[in-house]
Every structure is written in structure tokens, then in C-alpha cells.
Amino acid sequence: KIQSESINLADTYTFTGTVTSAGTAMVKVADLDFTDGVTTCDISSTHINSTYDSYRIQYRFKPATDNVNLRLRVFVGGVIQTGTIYAYEGHQSGGGAINSNSDSYFRLNSGSIGSATGEGIMGHIEMLNVNSTFLPLSYGGSSNHMNTSGNHVGNEITGFLKKGQEATVVNGLRFYFNSGNFQGAGNVKIYGIS
């Protein structure tokens, strides 16, 4: 038991016993780099699977062309889902919103992303119910991007697979822009949440 007192960091301390945490543990599952010029950045069942029911996804991308939006689709049984099973909402910190209750993708930003030097998009989402058949997969998070004028746009983003998708078990993700390719080295970090 640690008493409340000052600790001199120059001293050496020995601890015996077990350290436990009442909080959530995150385990790094993957750190994936994507090459310049690809049209999609796919995350396979190697990384999104039944090991965890919740995941934190951090992403960093730059489009090859201006005025694009970052989209996300899910894999089910190794097959990309393109039907109108996606619902999402996003709000810009400075005003403006996007939403859809029936689309063929999740959208991860409002406003358009620029492709010049220093422009692009970064963000994170926490995905829930990846394997659960009680409620459909949902996510919440935020993104930051620079628009085509080099101005910052902050977004709060959320999404849900539509009602009727309760039995859908997700085993992969696809990031893509609504037009054009990825520029430079994109990156996705995946953490399983236990």
C-alpha cells in the first residue's frame, strides 16, 4: 500500500504484489502503413475479428485530389458491404452538419478535404459491438482536416449500422475517398479494447 507522501525520483523503489487497473485495457493490434496511389485502405479479419468486441481506430490520410470526403465501409464474412445499411452523423465544431439514415457508406468528415502540402485528414473512432448480435455495430469519434483553402475543420462523428443489422458481425474495414486515390503514406493504428 502506498502512503501519501513525497517521492524522490532519484531514489530506487522496489514493489512486490500485483498491479491491477479498474479502467479499460487497450492492446495494440496493428500499425499499418499504406502506399502512395492506392484507391482503398483495407483492414482485414487478421486485425478486426472476434478477439475483441470493441476497437479504437486511429487514422491519417491525404487525398491525391481536392474536394473529397473520407468514407468507411465494413466487411462481413470477408465481403465488403455496399448496401444501404449505414447511418451516420457529423458536426463541424464551427457549424455545419452531415447526416444520413440510409447510405452505402459511413462518412468521416463534413466539408471537403484538401490535397495540397499540409492538407489531409486525421482522426479516431471507437467501434462498439463488432461481434455482438444484441445491437448493430456503432462508432463515435472525431476528425480534423484541412480544407482546400488550408483552413482547419474539426468534426465530431458518429455512425450505426441500421436497424435490422443486429446479427451482422464485422470482420474488416475499408477506408476510401469518394473520388481519387490516397497520396503519400497513409497510416492506421488499431487497438483492441478489453
Side-chain angles (χ1 to χ4, degrees):
K1 184 174 180 180
I2 297 175
Q3 300 296 322
S4 189
E5 62 182 67
S6 296
I7 295 176
N8 182 348
L9 296 180
D11 292 340
T12 302
Y13 297 90
T14 302
F15 175 80
T16 58
T18 303
V19 177
T20 59
S21 171
T24 301
M26 287 201 302
V27 176
K28 190 176 204 177
V29 173
D31 188 345
L32 306 172
D33 291 321
F34 296 90
T35 58
D36 183 49
V38 297
T39 56
T40 62
C41 293
D42 290 351
I43 313 300
S44 74
S45 61
T46 301
H47 308 299
I48 304 292
N49 51 48
S50 61
T51 304
Y52 301 99
D53 196 41
S54 298
Y55 289 87
R56 179 181 173 90
I57 314 294
Q58 294 177 193
Y59 55 88
R60 178 190 72 219
F61 297 120
K62 184 174 180 178
T65 55
D66 271 341
N67 293 313
V68 296
N69 297 300
L70 184 61
R71 295 179 175 178
L72 179 69
R73 285 180 169 152
V74 299
F75 284 90
V76 176
V79 178
I80 195 70
Q81 301 301 295
T82 59
T84 55
I85 63 170
Y86 302 88
Y88 60 83
E89 190 165 8
H91 296 276
Q92 287 185 22
S93 301
I98 55 168
N99 66 67
S100 175
N101 284 311
S102 185
D103 221 324
S104 61
Y105 54 84
F106 290 130
R107 185 167 158 183
L108 300 179
N109 67 289
S110 58
S112 295
I113 303 167
S115 63
T117 300
E119 295 175 348
I121 184 169
M122 293 184 280
H124 73 276
I125 56 175
E126 187 169 315
M127 300 178 63
L128 309 173
N129 290 329
V130 173
N131 301 293
S132 173
T133 57
F134 176 65
L135 289 172
L137 171 137
S138 71
Y139 70 85
S142 64
S143 68
N144 290 284
H145 73 270
M146 291 292 186
N147 65 19
T148 56
S149 300
N151 295 320
H152 170 256
V153 180
N155 298 275
E156 178 185 339
I157 51 177
T158 61
F160 219 113
L161 290 181
K162 288 172 52 177
K163 181 179 177 180
Q165 298 299 311
E166 297 83 17
T168 300
V169 174
V170 172
N171 63 357
L173 304 172
R174 170 171 288 171
F175 290 93
Y176 70 103
F177 290 112
N178 63 309
S179 176
N181 297 335
F182 289 81
Q183 179 183 174
N187 178 266
V188 175
K189 290 180 175 60
I190 304 165
Y191 299 86
I193 302 173
S194 61

